[in-house]
C-alpha cells in the first residue's frame, strides 16, 4: 500500500520520522514532487485567499498525490511539551486535516495523525492510527521507537552540515547555509519549508551566494529548543520558538554582518515573531535587518534588487564598499 507525504510544511522538519515509521510497518512512501509553477497555481486555485503560501503549496501537492497513492498523510500538529510547558502549532497546522477534507471532499484515503502531548506522548497518535488498520500496538510502538532513532540520526546529520532536503533522497543542489564559503556572512532566519523550497523562495539562498555573500541558516537542536523554552517570556508556538532560538545563535556569531528575516505573506504568527526578533536583535547588536515576505508572485527581479541593496549596505557598514 502506498502512502503519500507532501513535500511541504513540516515534512521539512519531520520527514525522516514519518518515512521511517510508515516503512517499518510495510508501507511504500511516495513523496510529492518538487514545488513548481503548476503546483503553486493549483494550490492557489483550490485555496481560500487568506491562506499563507506554504499551505497553498501543501494543497497543490495533495492534488498532485491523490491519483498516485492509496493514502495521503496529513498531520495535525497541535501541541508539544518542552521542559515544563506546552507549545502549539500554528492554527493552520492544527486545522490542516479539516481543511484538506473540506477542499477534497470526494478524495478517499486522507488520514491524519494527531500530535498532542497534552493528552499523550508523541508516539500515541502514531500507535492509535496504526490500530485503526488492525496493526497491533506492540508492532506500532516498536516502529515508532525505531523511527525516533532515525529522527535522532538525521538531527545529528543536520548538526554536521546536512539540510532538510537532503532527507528527501535527492541530490540537493542548493547552498547548505553553513556559511563556510568566502565572503561576508549574512544570517537567514525562516521556516525550513520556505527557505529550502527553491520555487517559493525564488532561490533566495542561491541569489545571496551569487552576490558574493555566504548565507548562514542556523539550525536548532531539540536541546536548543528546551533551553529557549526555559528562558521564559517566549511565545507558546513550537515552530516559532525555533526561529527565536535561531536568532540567538546569529547573535553569538560575531562574523555575521546582517540578518534576513523570511516569512510568507498571510502567515498569522509572522508579524508577532518579526517584531520579537527585531527587538531581541536591536537590544543586543546593531545588525542591519531586512524582512522579506513571500507570496505566490514568481518574479525574482524585485527580490534580487532588494538583496543587492542590502548587501551594499552591509558592505558599506563594514568598510568593504
Amino acid at each position: 500500500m502506498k502512502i503519500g507525504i507532501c513535500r511541504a510544511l513540516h515534512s521539512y522538519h519531520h520527514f525522516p520520522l514519518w518515512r521511517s515509521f510508515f516503512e517499518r510497518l510495510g508501507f511504500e512512501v511516495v513523496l510529492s514532487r518538487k514545488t513548481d509553477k503548476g503546483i503553486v497555481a493549483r494550490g492557489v486555485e483550490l485555496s481560500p485567499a487568506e491562506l499563507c503560501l506554504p499551505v497553498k503549496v501543501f494543497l497543490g501537492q495533495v492534488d498532485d498525490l491523490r491519483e498516485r497513492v492509496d493514502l495521503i498523510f496529513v498531520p495535525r500538529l497541535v501541541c508539544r511539551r518542552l521542559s515544563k510547558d506546552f507549545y502549539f502549532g500554528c492554527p493552520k497546522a492544527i486545522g490542516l486535516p479539516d481543511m484538506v477534507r473540506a477542499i477534497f471532499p470526494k478524495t478517499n484515503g486522507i488520514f491524519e495523525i494527531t500530535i498532542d502531548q497534552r493528552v499523550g506522548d508523541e508516539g500515541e497518535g502514531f500507535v492509535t492510527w496504526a490500530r485503526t488498520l488492525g496493526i497491533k500496538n506492540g508492532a506500532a510502538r516498536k516502529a515508532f521507537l525505531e523511527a525516533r532513532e532515525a529522527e535522532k540520526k538525521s538531527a545529528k546529520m543536520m548538526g554536521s552540515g546536512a539540510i532538510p532536503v537532503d532527507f528527501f533522497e535527492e541530490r540537493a543542489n542548493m547552498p547548505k547555509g553553513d556559511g563556510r564559503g568566502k565572503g561576508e556572512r549574512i544570517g537567514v532566519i525562516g521556516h525550513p519549508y520556505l527557505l529550502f523550497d527553491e520555487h517559493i523562495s525564488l532561490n533566495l539562498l542561491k541569489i545571496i551566494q551569487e552576490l558574493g555573500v555566504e548565507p548562514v541558516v542556523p539550525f536548532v537542536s531539540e536541546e536548543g529548543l528546551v533551553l529557549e523554552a526555559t528562558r521564559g517570556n517566549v511565545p507558546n508556538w513550537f515552530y516559532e520558538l525555533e526561529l527565536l532560538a535561531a536568532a540567538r545563535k546569529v547573535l553569538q556569531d560575531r562574523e555575521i554582518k546582517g540578518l534576513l528575516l523570511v516569512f510568507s505573506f498571510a502567515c498569522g504568527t509572522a508579524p508577532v515573531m518579526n517584531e520579537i526578533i527585531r527587538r531581541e536583535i536591536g537590544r543586543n547588536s546593531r545588525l542591519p535587518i531586512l524582512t522579506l515576505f513571500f507570496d505566490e508572485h514568481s518574479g525574482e527581479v524585485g527580490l534580487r534588487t532588494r538583496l543587492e541593496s542590502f548587501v551594499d549596505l552591509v558592505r558599506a557598514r563594514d568598510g568593504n564598499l
Side-chain angles (χ1 to χ4, degrees), residues 189-192 220 225 238-248 262-263 273 277:
I189 294 178
H191 291 300
V220 181
L225 283 178
F238 184 85
Y239 297 98
E240 279 64 29
L241 191 66
E242 188 177 72
L243 302 183
L244 190 53
R248 292 194 201 280
V262 182
F263 297 101
M273 291 311 302
I277 293 174

Side-chain angles (χ1 to χ4, degrees), residues 7-313:
R7 188 196 304 254
L9 291 176
H10 299 99
S11 64
Y12 283 79
H13 289 90
H14 306 301
F15 182 69
L17 172 75
W18 297 345
R19 178 185 61 185
S20 177
F21 176 74
F22 295 130
E23 287 183 344
R24 277 163 171 73
L25 292 179
F27 296 99
E28 177 184 349
V29 170
V30 178
L31 190 64
S32 64
R33 59 192 170 93
K34 293 175 73 171
T35 308
D36 57 20
K37 188 176 180 180
I39 283 180
V40 173
R42 185 61 178 144
V44 170
E45 180 183 349
L46 290 165
S47 303
E50 63 268 22
L51 293 182
C52 65
L53 177 60
V55 174
K56 292 176 180 175
V57 168
F58 187 94
L59 294 170
Q61 293 190 346
V62 169
D63 191 58
D64 171 66
L65 278 173
R66 61 196 184 114
E67 299 298 328
R68 299 195 283 131
V69 298
D70 303 294
L71 300 170
I72 298 177
F73 171 48
V74 182
R76 188 188 296 277
L77 302 171
V78 180
C79 181
R80 292 177 182 274
R81 187 183 183 102
L82 287 172
S83 186
K84 298 178 181 178
D85 205 352
F86 294 105
Y87 294 83
F88 293 82
C90 79
K92 290 163 191 168
I94 295 172
L96 196 59
D98 305 313
M99 199 182 315
V100 171
R101 290 193 182 97
I103 290 173
F104 300 98
K106 296 180 181 178
T107 298
N108 296 319
I110 293 170
F111 76 96
E112 67 181 80
I113 290 178
T114 300
I115 307 301
D116 188 350
Q117 293 187 314
R118 294 172 304 173
V119 297
D121 64 29
E122 185 180 2
E124 189 64 32
F126 288 84
V127 174
T128 300
W129 170 78
R131 194 161 53 235
T132 65
L133 297 182
I135 298 170
K136 293 183 178 178
N137 284 358
R141 179 65 66 178
K142 181 173 184 291
F144 179 76
L145 293 176
E146 291 174 350
R148 278 286 287 162
E149 290 303 312
E151 184 181 50
K152 290 177 183 175
K153 182 179 178 182
S154 67
K156 191 173 181 180
M157 292 170 65
M158 294 276 285
S160 301
I163 56 178
V165 292
D166 289 339
F167 304 108
F168 293 151
E169 292 186 342
E170 294 166 0
R171 188 175 177 81
N173 182 27
M174 63 187 307
K176 294 287 187 182
D178 54 11
R180 294 180 181 174
K182 297 178 180 178
E184 294 87 352
R185 292 156 60 91
I186 288 183
V188 185
I189 294 178
H191 291 300
Y193 52 75
L194 189 55
L195 298 183
F196 291 100
D197 186 318
E198 294 170 290
H199 187 83
I200 63 176
S201 72
L202 305 179
N203 282 313
L204 171 67
L205 299 180
K206 283 184 180 176
I207 293 176
I208 294 171
Q209 273 197 335
E210 287 168 5
L211 296 176
V213 176
E214 280 303 309
V216 180
V217 181
F219 293 106
V220 181
S221 65
E222 192 167 324
E223 293 76 16
L225 283 178
V226 171
L227 176 62
E228 190 64 36
T230 57
R231 293 180 188 277
N233 196 27
V234 294
N236 282 71
W237 296 325
F238 184 85
Y239 297 98
E240 279 64 29
L241 191 66
E242 188 177 72
L243 302 183
L244 190 53
R248 292 194 201 280
K249 291 186 76 170
V250 167
L251 283 171
Q252 293 167 4
D253 187 339
R254 298 301 177 189
E255 297 297 318
I256 290 180
K257 304 300 182 183
L259 178 63
L260 296 177
L261 297 178
V262 182
F263 297 101
S264 56
F265 181 72
C267 171
T269 59
V272 177
M273 291 311 302
N274 187 17
E275 188 61 25
I276 290 176
I277 293 174
R278 278 182 168 275
R279 291 186 184 188
E280 182 68 22
I281 297 293
R283 274 195 297 268
N284 296 286
S285 80
R286 296 181 63 247
L287 280 181
I289 303 173
L290 174 64
T291 301
L292 299 170
F293 282 91
F294 286 85
D295 60 15
E296 54 266 38
H297 293 94
S298 57
E300 77 166 48
V301 176
L303 173 64
R304 186 178 287 274
T305 301
R306 294 192 69 192
L307 289 172
E308 286 173 348
S309 299
F310 184 68
V311 170
D312 284 347
L313 170 67

